[in-house]
Amino acid sequence: MAKTGTTTQGLRAAIERSGYYPALVAEAVEAAVGGEQISSYLVHQETTFDSNEVRRHVTVLVLTGTRFIVSHTDEQAADSSSPTPYATTSTESVKLPRISSVVVSRVVANPESYTPGTLPREVVLTIGWGAVSRIDLEPAACGDPNCDADHGYTGSSTADDLSLRVSEAGDGPEAVRQTLTFAQALSEATAATTATR
């Protein structure tokens, strides 16, 4: 379930409502935020299926006046390295000027009868800041079908640091709305940062 808002207390309450190790998640996020004022946040819990196991995962996104903070918490079953189940929490703090892209992909049913303001069926929020890039390469070719020369490679590089998918069917319409609200706040904050540079 996604939750969004603008206060430290609201963020804490949203983490607690997610029910996913709230003390652990809140401590990690609050330590990363420090004393900064929160502009917006999004809490998204996701359940995934990995072979025979069900795994839960929570992502917390926080926007302050100067930074974008992302926190991931995953649970792991007992394995050869740990006789008991455990959770891993990580936080990353990114200065707003480093945000290079905020991509919002919307899936809309019956686009021919779309009415402005209608919620999309699904939203994918992709945020790039240069920590992770994906490179897709393929052999280059020319238009001559008889050419056997080596033309090197062609390809593309895509920033893909974070991708979050929220759907109306799986997460509910409020989660979709809140994801769009956070995406807009982040887009506006990065635009404002770019304008002041």
Side-chain angles (χ1 to χ4, degrees), residues 12-192:
R12 169 71 90 145
I15 291 170
E16 289 175 3
R17 275 192 303 275
S18 79
Y20 185 82
Y21 307 121
L24 174 65
V25 173
E27 181 180 51
V29 171
E30 289 169 3
V33 170
E36 281 197 83
Q37 182 80 20
I38 294 172
S39 302
S40 187
Y41 63 82
L42 180 67
V43 177
H44 181 257
Q45 184 180 330
E46 184 176 20
T47 302
T48 57
F49 301 93
D50 183 17
S51 300
N52 304 355
E53 298 178 1
V54 176
R55 293 189 184 201
R56 296 181 302 158
H57 171 87
V58 69
T59 301
V60 180
L61 308 179
V62 179
L63 178 62
T64 71
T66 62
R67 298 180 297 147
F68 166 69
I69 298 163
V70 58
S71 173
H72 295 288
T73 303
D74 292 293
E75 64 183 357
Q76 306 292 329
D79 58 22
S80 60
S81 67
S82 175
T84 59
Y86 61 97
T88 304
T89 299
S90 63
T91 57
E92 184 172 1
S93 176
V94 182
K95 292 182 179 183
L96 286 177
R98 287 200 47 218
I99 303 288
S100 57
S101 66
V102 178
V103 180
V104 180
S105 300
R106 302 165 191 241
V107 177
V108 177
N110 303 313
E112 69 281 354
S113 59
Y114 176 77
T115 304
T118 302
L119 281 178
R121 188 172 69 193
E122 179 179 310
V123 172
V124 178
L125 173 61
T126 304
I127 304 165
W129 58 90
V132 177
S133 292
R134 183 178 66 242
I135 298 177
D136 296 317
L137 294 175
E138 61 185 39
C142 68
D144 181 359
N146 297 319
C147 180
D148 60 358
D150 182 358
H151 294 286
Y153 289 88
T154 184
S156 62
S157 175
T158 308
D160 194 16
D161 295 307
L162 173 77
S163 191
L164 188 86
R165 178 185 169 272
V166 179
S167 71
E168 185 178 27
D171 303 294
E174 190 57 28
V176 173
R177 183 177 289 106
Q178 292 167 349
T179 302
L180 290 171
T181 299
F182 182 83
Q184 181 174 348
L186 182 59
S187 291
E188 290 171 357
T190 56

